[in-house]
Amino acid sequence: MRDAYVIGAGGSQYGAFPTESYRSMFRTAFESTTASVDNGIDAGDIDEAFIGMISIGGRQLGLSGPAVTEHVGLHGVPTTRLENACAASGYAVRQAVQAVRSGMADVVLAGGVEMMTDLSSDTTRYWFGVSGETEWERMAGTTFSGVYAQIASAHMAEYGTEREQLSKIAVKSHANGALNPDAHLGFECSLEQAEGAGVVADPLTLYHCCPTSDGAAAVLVASEDVVEQYTDTPVRIAGVGAASDGVGLFQRDSYTSLPATKQAAETAYEMAGVGPEDVDFAEVHDCFSIAEILAYEDLGFCEPGEGGQLIEDGVTTLEGDLPVNTSGGLKSKGHPIGATGAGQVYEAFKQLRGDAGDRQVEGAQVGLTHNVGGSGGAAVVHVLEGPEVDA
């Protein structure tokens, strides 16, 4: 099968934008993406599109994909909307890779968008909840913060993980987000602020939880047959892995690991011919700080139970051996559900081309993105290689 490359990626700012719509937000991301293609690209070059979107609040539940692609001028381009909770646009990127590798398309747009801040807290909580297990979790009153609080409590009980370690992840995420002009919460926080913030769901404080965000992101994926028409510095998507699992926590054998992440990572590593030790940086799904610790362990960056020590030792800071969430992650950059996975690939694209500015990981050649749906019902992992590796 043919290799697939990212030739362009872009996004909007993440935050609260009461004067924008999901169409206008996606236009911003799309124009940012096409502008990043070195040699330019025409709308007529795009063969297919995959759009991740939950449609928070019921927006255009049917045909929301064509609604945004037609709005940006992709007239007649076959468009599919993907809904896989918070992993929607991560799966959209995966579908784009599949379309290119299979030979059905040469250039594919993958992206996502979500508008989340113009609804009441009760309505937003409802739409968040539909991504969890409905009968035995959501209808019983459990929120996602409650679900991840259970995960955190279990991890603490089994491995001795400390709440202060969760707070150190928050401090790291905000330090990185403060360097990202697109971040929703682009400010630094202290360890004392993270520890002393109000409790959302014990043991998680406000600073252990991602914000509710508006935003959009997009990626252009091209085949090896046409990539040289668009850029001399493409980013190769070397490995892709995805997996699903029981949607509810009670359906799993353990609360301290996400099996879907482990399976997706194994597949992606095998396809790319690399291991976790080869990864130079990663964008992981840190909807809550405990989720980042689970990601360290499930992606193979450390042994089970050692994730807390990884942040204690500074390994995952911007100056560490394995920077994680250089963008600020979901915690600081924000989490517009449908856009998150594509936004992670956007950050990886910038890092691998040396375009990440003050948060650039020097010499980065292999990056990983990790996007989770719900509390682990779905996961998708991409391994990306920079132009020098591909050469």
Side-chain angles (χ1 to χ4, degrees):
M1 289 188 289
R2 304 184 301 175
D3 271 342
Y5 296 85
V6 179
I7 58 170
S12 71
Q13 288 186 312
Y14 289 4
F17 301 100
T19 62
E20 300 283 353
S21 69
Y22 71 93
R23 288 180 173 91
S24 66
M25 291 295 286
F26 189 78
R27 176 182 287 278
T28 298
F30 177 75
E31 291 176 350
S32 170
T33 301
T34 55
S36 72
V37 180
D38 294 334
N39 300 333
I41 189 168
D42 297 324
D45 295 343
I46 299 173
D47 300 315
E48 192 159 353
F50 296 96
I51 307 298
M53 185 179 180
I54 290 183
S55 296
I56 287 285
R59 293 178 180 85
Q60 194 75 45
L61 277 172
L63 297 179
S64 54
V68 297
T69 54
E70 284 292 317
H71 182 70
V72 301
L74 300 185
H75 305 306
V77 173
T79 300
T80 303
R81 169 190 164 224
L82 285 86
E83 186 286 298
N84 229 1
C86 317
S89 62
Y91 269 79
V93 175
R94 177 177 181 264
Q95 291 300 113
V97 173
Q98 287 184 322
V100 164
R101 287 172 64 88
S102 72
M104 289 190 67
D106 276 318
V107 181
V108 181
L109 175 70
V113 60
E114 213 75 67
M115 301 298 292
M116 302 174 63
T117 67
D118 59 346
L119 304 172
S120 70
S121 58
D122 285 344
T123 303
T124 302
R125 192 158 49 243
Y126 169 84
W127 281 98
F128 265 132
V130 299
S131 299
E133 207 291 325
T134 300
E135 294 175 303
W136 298 102
E137 289 182 349
R138 182 168 64 85
M139 292 181 69
T142 302
T143 63
F144 270 119
S145 55
V147 168
Y148 276 93
Q150 293 177 66
I151 291 173
S153 295
H155 206 277
M156 290 174 173
E158 185 169 347
Y159 297 117
T161 304
E162 300 174 359
R163 193 177 78 167
E164 185 173 297
Q165 294 170 334
L166 305 183
S167 297
K168 288 181 177 180
I169 286 177
V171 171
K172 171 188 67 69
S173 298
H174 277 275
N176 293 346
L179 302 175
N180 185 351
D182 291 335
H184 186 171
L185 304 180
F187 53 83
E188 295 185 3
C189 79
S190 68
L191 183 61
E192 292 73 25
Q193 287 174 316
E195 280 285 279
V199 174
V200 175
D202 190 42
L204 304 180
T205 74
L206 182 64
Y207 274 90
H208 301 149
C209 309
C210 71
T212 299
S213 310
D214 305 329
V219 176
L220 281 165
V221 179
S223 75
E224 63 182 34
D225 294 339
V226 302
V227 64
E228 292 181 358
Q229 297 177 29
Y230 300 103
T231 180
D232 295 326
T233 55
V235 169
R236 188 168 80 100
I237 304 177
V240 182
S244 57
D245 195 12
V247 175
L249 286 186
F250 69 92
Q251 296 171 304
R252 304 180 203 154
D253 294 332
S254 171
Y255 279 20
T256 59
S257 174
L258 301 185
T261 291
K262 296 175 74 171
Q263 185 176 339
E266 289 170 3
T267 302
Y269 288 141
E270 182 177 358
M271 184 182 296
V274 302
E277 68 279 0
D278 298 307
V279 174
D280 296 317
F281 69 92
E283 287 287 302
V284 308
H285 197 93
D286 62 325
C287 47
F288 300 90
S289 293
I290 185 61
E292 182 164 326
I293 286 183
L294 263 61
Y296 296 165
E297 297 169 6
D298 290 337
L299 293 168
F301 299 151
C302 64
E303 294 298 317
E306 296 180 359
Q309 194 60 47
L310 220 59
I311 187 65
E312 288 277 8
D313 294 341
V315 173
T316 58
T317 64
L318 197 57
E319 300 78 21
D321 291 337
L322 177 60
V324 172
N325 288 340
T326 57
S327 68
L330 283 62
K331 173 64 199 74
S332 176
K333 182 184 180 183
H335 185 25
I337 293 178
T340 291
Q344 292 176 324
V345 176
Y346 173 33
E347 176 71 10
F349 178 74
K350 287 189 289 187
Q351 288 285 352
L352 291 169
R353 302 218 316 177
D355 296 334
D358 291 339
R359 61 184 190 279
Q360 179 65 48
V361 177
E362 294 302 321
Q365 288 298 307
V366 178
L368 179 147
T369 67
H370 160 251
N371 192 197
V372 173
S375 59
V380 57
V381 172
H382 294 90
V383 175
L384 302 102
E385 294 179 345
E388 291 184 22
V389 170
D390 182 58

